[in-house]
Amino acid sequence: MPAFSHSTSRTPTAGPRVTVPPALSLPVIESAFPRNLHPYWPKLQETTRVWLLEKRLMPADKVARYADSLCYTDLVAGYYLGAPDDLLSAIADFSAWFFAWDDRHDRDVVHRRSEGWRRLCRDLHAALDAPRRHLHHRDPLVAAFADCVVRMCSRLSRKWDTRFVRHFHVVIDAYDHEYDNRTRHTVPTVADYVELRRLTFAHWIWIDLLEPTARFELPTATRKHPAYRRAALATQDFSAWYNDLCSLPKEIAGDEVHNLGISLIQHEGLSLEGAVAEVHRRVSRCVRDFLQAEQEVFALAHEFAADGSKRGREIGEALIDCVTNMRNWFSSVYWFHHESGRYRVDSWDDRSTPPYIDDLASDLAGEE
């Protein structure tokens, strides 16, 4: 049986038809959120493919067969329009690294490699604090992570770098928390899951990266303005929960415990169909919340610009750049999930093991 019954929908810019099951369809995204891609995108595919090979994050045969069809670079090229090419390339590599790290996490749970997982967490924390010292680490995941941190930081102030590092330390700890939950088969409550998901999805990391994309560091009070934070949270919750919606069959097959739908089934007594409908309702609400907050951020930007100062104009322009790229997340995330081979469980020989994973390589990495 297929994971979801399918109908056909069309992405506005992709050309070929893409199937979107009714249970996953969001007409408002298809009609009101045009899809845009950074002009560097075609080159980005090539550079990230080469980087995956150089950093040994995927074996050469897996890169050749699956890298482009996983669409990792498509995802990022739709997020950060206006970013300098070298920054976009660094973010794209970081995003690909993030997926590889997530896959290692899954394989370490499946094979109960607790010692290797703990060592990886310690090394990632160390690499985050001193990335240049870890560029040649023996674990490819650590070395590649250090490379990304070096390339993404030092573009704005030291204060921004410190914030980025602080936010990602929390992400590593959250993944470690997930590891414990999975090995104990603990399904978090819905409320606990929502908070944990905001950390494992790295909400604030992706929002932080809007500022170097805009080439401007927002003042703390502006960044923490309620309207800006509501817009940011809406776009990130949408992205995390839409991922949960699309990956639910994959994660049930893989005996996962971290998915909004699984928490709803376990703790709210919903059926699978009911959980799918409830997650769909929540992601739809995120879109509505964003549209309201977006208008408030635009109004705030105009207030800054209206004071007549150069600083006010710069803040206003940066706010508009940031919230516009928040908007781009909706279409990019939506279409990515229907184009990427990462979620095509119905085409896999084993629905619990993605074909782009080299399980033997993962075993060896965990035993170093």
Side-chain angles (χ1 to χ4, degrees):
M1 289 287 291
F4 294 104
S5 298
H6 284 78
S7 66
T8 301
S9 183
R10 182 183 176 91
T11 167
T13 61
R17 296 181 73 80
V18 177
T19 50
V20 180
L24 308 180
S25 177
L26 289 165
V28 66
I29 300 297
E30 299 181 28
S31 63
F33 289 79
R35 189 182 193 184
N36 301 293
L37 286 172
H38 195 289
Y40 191 64
W41 168 71
K43 182 66 174 177
L44 200 62
Q45 281 192 312
E46 177 185 339
T47 58
T48 294
R49 193 186 314 120
V50 170
W51 186 82
L52 286 168
L53 285 169
E54 289 179 347
K55 299 302 179 183
R56 298 182 294 128
L57 292 183
M58 290 176 69
D61 62 323
K62 300 288 186 181
V63 170
R65 186 171 181 182
Y66 296 109
D68 287 353
S69 65
L70 289 171
C71 300
Y72 294 162
T73 56
D74 303 36
L75 184 64
V76 170
Y79 283 173
Y80 297 105
L81 272 71
D85 292 352
D86 64 328
L87 174 61
L88 187 72
S89 182
I91 297 173
D93 292 347
F94 173 64
S95 178
W97 172 87
F98 213 123
F99 283 113
W101 182 41
D102 188 71
D103 292 336
R104 171 79 72 83
H105 174 267
D106 178 71
R107 295 295 94 189
D108 281 355
V109 169
V110 168
H111 297 294
R112 293 297 190 268
R113 296 191 296 245
S114 295
E115 183 179 345
W117 171 254
R118 304 298 181 202
R119 180 170 61 248
L120 175 60
C121 288
R122 289 194 300 270
D123 289 347
L124 290 176
H125 278 301
L128 187 57
D129 287 330
R132 294 187 184 280
R133 298 179 189 173
H134 293 79
L135 291 172
H136 304 289
H137 195 280
R138 65 179 183 176
D139 188 327
L141 267 180
V142 178
F145 176 64
D147 177 73
C148 291
V149 174
V150 168
R151 292 160 61 201
M152 290 187 296
C153 288
S154 301
R155 292 173 178 272
L156 296 175
S157 73
R158 185 178 295 274
K159 184 178 178 181
W160 185 94
D161 291 352
T162 300
R163 187 207 322 161
F164 180 90
V165 167
R166 182 177 72 250
H167 284 166
F168 206 83
H169 276 304
V170 177
V171 173
I172 298 169
D173 289 340
Y175 256 81
D176 194 31
H177 186 177
E178 274 206 3
Y179 185 92
D180 288 339
N181 281 349
R182 282 193 68 185
T183 54
R184 297 167 185 165
H185 208 76
T186 300
V187 179
T189 66
V190 173
D192 287 346
Y193 175 77
V194 166
E195 292 305 313
L196 182 61
R197 184 62 162 142
R198 288 172 176 169
L199 301 178
T200 57
F201 194 81
H203 277 28
W204 299 112
I205 289 294
W206 304 117
I207 296 301
D208 287 339
L209 287 166
L210 292 171
E211 293 168 73
T213 294
R215 299 172 174 84
F216 189 87
E217 186 170 342
L218 292 172
T220 300
T222 305
R223 183 169 48 83
K224 292 187 175 182
H225 189 281
Y228 187 83
R229 291 182 71 85
R230 283 201 310 275
L233 199 58
T235 191
Q236 293 300 298
D237 279 346
F238 169 86
S239 301
W241 299 344
Y242 195 72
N243 174 267
D244 284 356
L245 187 62
C246 295
S247 63
L248 184 57
K250 167 179 176 280
E251 294 184 343
I252 288 176
D255 201 29
E256 250 284 14
V257 298
H258 293 98
N259 184 293
L260 182 53
I262 293 172
S263 287
L264 288 163
I265 292 168
Q266 177 76 19
H267 294 287
E268 304 293 333
L270 273 61
S271 65
L272 175 59
E273 294 77 10
V276 167
E278 174 60 15
V279 179
H280 190 283
R281 185 189 69 80
R282 291 184 183 223
V283 297
S284 298
R285 188 181 64 198
C286 287
V287 179
R288 294 193 299 272
D289 290 346
F290 174 80
L291 290 172
Q292 179 179 349
E294 178 187 41
Q295 293 306 308
E296 296 176 33
V297 175
F298 282 144
L300 179 64
H302 292 316
E303 286 180 21
F304 276 109
D307 77 359
S309 69
K310 179 176 181 292
R311 178 68 170 171
R313 185 179 70 254
E314 290 174 340
I315 294 173
E317 290 173 352
L319 274 173
I320 291 173
D321 283 348
C322 289
V323 80
T324 299
N325 272 330
M326 288 182 199
R327 162 177 275 272
N328 286 330
W329 275 72
F330 289 94
S331 58
S332 191
V333 165
Y334 183 77
W335 293 114
F336 165 73
H337 281 88
H338 303 298
E339 295 169 349
S340 174
R342 191 172 178 87
Y343 306 101
R344 294 178 189 161
V345 296
D346 294 329
S347 66
W348 301 352
D349 292 334
D350 177 356
R351 290 162 66 95
S352 67
T353 306
Y356 49 84
I357 294 290
D358 188 327
D359 221 12
L360 176 60
S362 295
D363 287 344
L364 295 174
E367 292 171 359
E368 281 186 349

